[in-house]
Each structure stands twice: as C-alpha cells, then as structure tokens.
Amino acid sequence: MRRPALMIGAGALVVVLVLVLVVVLVSRDDDDDRAEPAPAPTAGASASPPPAEAMTTVLASGFDEGDEGWQPLGDGVAVDAVQDVTRSGAGSLLVSGRSEPWHGGAVDLSGAMAQGQVHTVSAWVRLGDGAEDADVQLTLERDPGTAEPLYLHVARGTASSGDWVQLSGSAQVPEGGGQWRLYVETPESLADVRVDDVTVQRPTPAVQTDVPALRDVAAFPVGAAVGPQDLTGRPADLLLRHFDQVTAENAMKPVTVQPVEGEFDFGPMDEVLDVAVEHGLTVHGHTLVWHRSTPDWFFQAPDGRPLTSSEEDRALLRERLRTHVTALADHLAERYGDANPVTSWDVVNEALDPEEDDGLRRSRWYEVLGPDYVAEAFRVAREAFGPDVVLYLNDYDTDAPDRRRELVRLLMDLQAAGAPVDAVGHQMHVSLRTDVGRVATTLDAVAGLGLRQAVTELDVAVSDRDEQLDATPQDRLDQQGDQVRELVSAFAARDLAFVSVWGLYDTRSWLRTWPQDRPFEAPLLFDDDLQAKPAFWGFVEGSSAG
Ligand code: XIL
C-alpha cells in the first residue's frame, strides 16, 4: 500500500520542492468564472514546458471506452467508467468509496516518462453530487521500489459538484528509474471525484528526415490509426512524412458519433478528416457495426428494456442502423462533397466466433437480428455510401485456422446472399510467435474468393498478453524487426489495398493498456520518441522484397 502523500518525510518533501516547480492553472468550463491561478507551492528554477509543437501526448484518457487502465488507489476505493455525467464524449471516470484523503484513482505511466524533461499534466475534475467544494490534486508518483516514493504535486485547484474544473501544471521529471503513476486525490475531503479528459505531455525530438518515407518505399498505400493528439506537432510531422492514409482510432465509432440517440457528434471525426483533406490522405472508415464501442441505447427500447428478437424490436434496431449510417453518409456529403476522403469502411467488425456452430459471435446485433445482420449492414452501407466506397468485413486473428475457416464460410454465405461485401480487413494484431505462413494462407484463401483485402490494424506485440516486462528488451525489438520484415514481404507479394498500422508510435498503442497494463509493450514501427525502430527497417526491407 502506498504511503499517503501528505505524510511523506520532511527530507523527501524538500527533494520534491527543490526538484519541481509546479505551475498550477485552474479554469472552468465557463470562462467568465475563471479562478485566480493558485500560487505555486514552491520557488525555484522555472520548469516551463517546451513549445506545444515539440510536445507529444503520452496519456489521453477520455473514459469513452471504459476505465482505460485507471485503477483504484486505496482500500475500498472503486473507479468506474460512467456515462451519466461527462465533460466530453460519452463517459467520465467516477472515483468513489474514498475513506482517506489520499485515496483516489491512478494510472500507470511507467515507460511514458522521460527523465530530465518537463511534462505537462491536465485533467478536468468535478466532485460527486452534493459534495462541498474541495481541493483536488494531481500527483505524479515515482516508486523506485527500493527507496521512498517521490511525489510531484503537479496541479491543485478547487472543485465543486456542479462544474467541471480544469487542473493543469508542469513538472520536471527527475533522473532515476522506477514505476510512475499519475493520481487524482482530494487532500482535504472524502468526496467522490469525477475525472475526464486527462492528458500528460512530454517533449519529443524532431522526426527523423534521414530515413526513407514508408509511403515512398512500399508498393501499397500505407496507413496509420490516429487520434486527436496525432494531428499536430511532431506526431503530425511523422504522420505526414510516412503515411498515405489514416483510420480514426476511435473518432468514427458509434459511441463517439452518436453517444445519445439522435444526438450526433461529428466533431472528433471532422478533426481527423479535415487534416486528411488538407494533406491529401485517404481515410478508411472504422466502424459501423461492432459489439464494442456502441452505446447501450442502440439495444434498448425507449423504456430501457433490452431489445429482444421480436418483429417490433428487430425493426427498431434495423431502423437505428439505417439512421446511424445514413447520418454519417449525409454528413460526409455535406461537409466534404467531392473531396470526401473516406474511400472505404469497416462495415462489420469482429463478427466471428469459431466456438459457435455458425461461426458467428453472439453479439447484441446477433441476438436481436439473427445471423442476417451482417448482410443487412452491408446493404445499408452500400445504399448510404454508394458503389465507389469499398465495404470491408474486418476481423482479428484471421491467420488462426479455425477463424480462417469461419471467415471463408461467412464470406461465401454473404456472396451467396448477394450482400455487397467488397473486401476483407485483417486486423493483424500479431506477435513474435505468429506464424507468417498461416497469415499467407489466409491472404491466399480470401484472394481465392475474388475479394479485395487489406491489413487494417497491424501491430506486433513483443510481450505475451499476461507478461509483465520491466523494460523493453533490445533482443525482442530485433526479433520484432525480423517478424515485421517477414510479414510485410508476405503482404508485398500479394495484392493488398493498403497496410495500416494501429498507431503512429509505441506510446500510442492500445496494447499499453489492453488486456492489462503493459507499460513496456512496444508493438509499432516508431518508439516513444517517434524514432525509427528495427520494426521500421523491417517494414522498409519487407516492402521491397515482394
Ligand atoms: C481500440 C483503440 O485503439 C482503443 O483506443 C480503444 O480504447 C478500444 O479500441 N480492434 C479494433 C479497434 O477494431 O477498434 C480497437 O481499437 C483495437 C482492436
């Protein structure tokens, strides 16, 4: 159990005060009501952050997709991603059950912090309903394992139950190793705390210009999944230097686009699409029909009752599908017209389950509409987007023989039913253990059906899903380079519409927090400093091998 921050020894406190200058800013959603900045709790050398364009975001928690790796801090504390109150998007994090002031919510930042660099931290906070105003504090903690933890109190400000308040500040991260966490606590209150839109940023070296651009060496278009934090500064430099195409990592998912029935939010998606249009990138749309990232209301009657497979409920879900897809198509047509960059869509994502007789996952879509929901989704998409937009069935682990078998069966059924499926997306979340021969077998099987195909979400994990690394070993990065070379040469030898990686650089990978925290997982082509890894060179070599 960690020691309460307020009880650390005087010696440690002095170290903290000398090492850190904390800049605390407090602002409210309502700008007229801006509070005075709280006085910095210490004097000392200024730790002002570098210019914005030199910073990259190492943590961005919006809680629209669950707790995003945040953990309770203290006995009896609970952290829950909730959708009743949010500052932006679909959800926020509720920290409850606090019985000590230092109790709170924490997220692991090990592997994301750069020694000696000034990091900026920002979070929007609000207290639980009915709570009296109280200070909320953001603390960075380094636990060296062998000695006392170090606490950097990076921002503090008064929060209330009625309004979201932004806390932000900067702190220089000292030299020395250990596990890093960020946590939110209220030093003088036991109120529930809500948290949303947390970011941690750190300075990053310039993007390398002395390495080949992937888009120049590959015979196929090269894409990357991006979030809002990738569209400016150095991540944007990396994106525009190497890539032809983008997929919105989350911004086009149903939970983002239509969090509440009839209330569409195209803002996050437009941010991505505007950048694509400005720079001539194409966009692969992701995704329309999925068992995840779809708000609960989709599958509930207006009175909250779960939809059943009754005729009436089926009609309601079909209508919602059509409304959702048509609203997207209309918005794209209105905003972008002929310049619409979205050339393809993942229409149905992750439909397969080889454990089931018919090979189809028992999702809520399936439960209500039955197996025909897949064909129906393609028909709706074709009608809404027209004949020129390529419609994909997207799935993971398509190299596994049982999943390959069900994939081929589903595709043949769809073709027999006349469903307008054009292409297959292979997510390609693979590892050092993946057998490239199996990947090739699946690519050939799909080609044999006369369908187009693409690699939609490539990453190559260097650790097992339940393995905890305490650093990223160089030999695994070297093996990863070999694995990427083998994979990409299998791609280059076949006719693929594009190959996309699921994130620009390691810090941005979803595998850092899924299915558990793996702060030293490094599955992408560029490292935390946006520099080329052996995997990058494997990609370059594999591209020219085909
Ligand atoms: C992931 C995103 O990367 C995360 O940010 C989000 O929290 C959950 O979804 N297969 C998919 C993607 O089709 O949409 C998933 O993306 C990764 C697995």
Side-chain angles (χ1 to χ4, degrees):
M1 177 56 61
R2 102 172 169 73
R3 286 171 52 146
L6 296 175
M7 289 168 47
I8 56 174
L13 193 61
V14 170
V15 172
V16 174
L17 296 183
V18 173
L19 278 171
V20 188
L21 174 82
V22 183
V23 182
V24 183
L25 292 172
V26 182
S27 64
R28 289 172 188 277
D29 256 349
D30 173 5
D31 270 355
D32 299 339
D33 197 19
R34 188 175 291 268
E36 285 297 307
T42 180
S46 167
S48 47
E53 66 275 10
M55 302 292 275
T56 59
T57 303
V58 294
L59 176 85
S61 299
F63 309 110
D64 302 330
E65 302 273 340
D67 62 28
E68 297 176 13
W70 283 69
Q71 309 266 344
L73 185 73
D75 283 344
V77 177
V79 297
D80 295 293
V82 293
Q83 303 207 333
D84 58 335
V85 177
T86 175
R87 195 201 70 99
S88 75
S92 63
L93 191 78
L94 176 66
V95 184
S96 60
R98 304 175 58 243
S99 53
E100 300 275 358
W102 58 271
H103 281 179
V107 66
D108 196 328
L109 286 174
S110 312
M113 309 297 283
Q115 294 179 25
Q117 308 273 12
V118 177
H119 291 54
T120 59
V121 179
S122 164
W124 289 82
V125 299
R126 176 175 171 163
L127 299 181
D129 297 342
E132 295 203 355
D133 291 7
D135 274 12
V136 176
Q137 180 161 278
L138 304 179
T139 301
L140 286 167
E141 178 205 65
R142 186 189 68 195
D143 185 355
T146 48
E148 285 295 300
L150 178 71
Y151 302 102
L152 310 183
H153 300 305
V154 82
R156 183 169 174 155
T158 306
S160 72
S161 62
D163 255 339
W164 288 97
V165 171
Q166 185 181 22
L167 305 181
S168 65
S170 306
Q172 181 166 12
V173 165
E175 303 292 334
Q179 303 286 315
W180 280 98
R181 292 194 294 187
L182 170 68
Y183 55 80
V184 178
E185 59 193 337
T186 62
E188 283 147 22
S189 155
L190 301 179
D192 291 355
V193 184
R194 297 178 183 278
V195 189
D196 205 359
D197 299 326
V198 187
T199 58
V200 177
Q201 295 186 301
R202 72 175 219 196
T204 307
V207 161
Q208 292 155 295
T209 50
D210 56 350
V211 301
L214 294 175
R215 57 195 290 175
D216 294 340
V217 297
F220 41 79
V222 188
V226 294
Q229 63 267 56
D230 299 317
L231 303 176
T232 55
R234 297 207 155 130
D237 296 343
L238 190 69
L239 173 68
L240 297 176
R241 177 170 171 78
H242 289 284
F243 296 91
D244 304 287
Q245 175 168 293
V246 290
T247 306
E249 186 180 13
N250 293 308
M252 293 166 87
K253 291 174 177 172
V255 72
T256 310
V257 170
Q258 198 183 176
V260 175
E261 182 158 28
E263 290 180 20
F264 290 88
D265 182 2
F266 297 114
M269 155 173 141
D270 290 345
E271 265 182 67
V272 176
L273 268 52
D274 288 357
V275 169
V277 170
E278 186 185 345
H279 296 282
L281 306 172
T282 54
V283 175
H284 179 64
H286 177 82
T287 181
L288 301 175
V289 170
W290 192 19
H291 64 282
R292 286 177 58 195
S293 301
T294 305
D296 295 342
W297 66 259
F298 254 94
F299 310 109
Q300 289 166 354
D303 63 3
R305 164 186 69 79
L307 295 186
T308 67
S309 57
S310 72
E311 254 330 296
E312 199 192 339
D313 285 2
R314 292 159 58 89
L316 180 58
L317 184 54
R318 280 214 204 87
E319 185 193 309
R320 285 174 173 169
L321 169 64
R322 186 169 295 272
T323 303
H324 184 77
V325 174
T326 307
L328 278 161
D330 290 349
H331 175 78
L332 290 171
E334 275 161 30
R335 187 174 172 93
Y336 301 103
D338 290 344
N340 174 16
V342 185
T343 51
S344 53
W345 272 97
D346 288 328
V347 175
V348 179
N349 195 28
E350 303 184 347
L352 298 176
D353 182 355
E355 305 280 299
E356 301 289 351
D357 284 352
D358 60 1
L360 292 176
R361 178 194 292 272
R362 297 307 188 251
S363 66
R364 289 293 286 134
W365 290 104
Y366 183 102
E367 284 173 5
V368 177
L369 296 178
D372 294 342
Y373 85 88
V374 183
E376 170 88 4
F378 279 95
R379 290 198 189 95
V380 168
R382 174 65 87 229
E383 212 177 293
F385 298 118
D388 297 334
V389 171
V390 186
L391 303 183
Y392 279 75
L393 178 76
N394 194 47
D395 221 308
Y396 62 88
D397 291 355
T398 56
D399 55 304
D402 55 348
R403 297 183 64 85
R404 178 196 306 138
R405 188 189 65 230
E406 297 308 336
L407 173 67
V408 169
R409 173 151 72 130
L410 173 58
L411 292 167
M412 291 174 75
D413 287 351
L414 290 169
Q415 289 178 319
V421 53
D422 301 315
V424 172
H426 305 277
Q427 290 188 0
M428 212 64 68
H429 297 294
V430 297
S431 75
L432 299 179
R433 299 178 198 278
T434 299
D435 178 344
V436 179
R438 285 184 172 184
V439 172
T441 304
T442 298
L443 295 176
D444 293 339
V446 170
L449 297 172
L451 290 163
R452 280 174 270 178
Q453 54 188 331
V455 170
T456 50
E457 306 182 11
L458 176 67
D459 48 32
V460 180
V462 299
S463 61
D464 291 334
R465 284 178 183 175
D466 58 356
E467 185 184 9
Q468 276 293 342
L469 298 173
D470 50 17
T472 311
Q474 185 59 43
D475 62 329
R476 300 236 187 147
L477 295 175
D478 292 339
Q479 288 171 42
Q480 184 187 43
D482 295 339
Q483 181 73 319
V484 170
R485 188 183 59 243
E486 297 306 309
L487 281 162
V488 172
S489 54
F491 305 156
R494 290 166 177 82
D495 184 18
L496 298 189
F498 60 87
V499 174
S500 280
V501 289
W502 201 246
L504 284 175
Y505 57 101
D506 285 336
T507 323
R508 291 282 294 109
S509 171
W510 70 304
L511 296 178
R512 285 266 163 108
T513 54
W514 186 92
Q516 58 153 356
D517 278 353
R518 283 185 287 172
F520 297 98
E521 181 47 71
L524 297 170
L525 306 181
F526 297 94
D527 69 14
D528 292 336
D529 282 327
L530 283 59
Q531 308 296 296
K533 295 164 58 189
F536 167 86
W537 293 107
F539 198 109
V540 170
E541 289 163 23
S543 308
S544 44

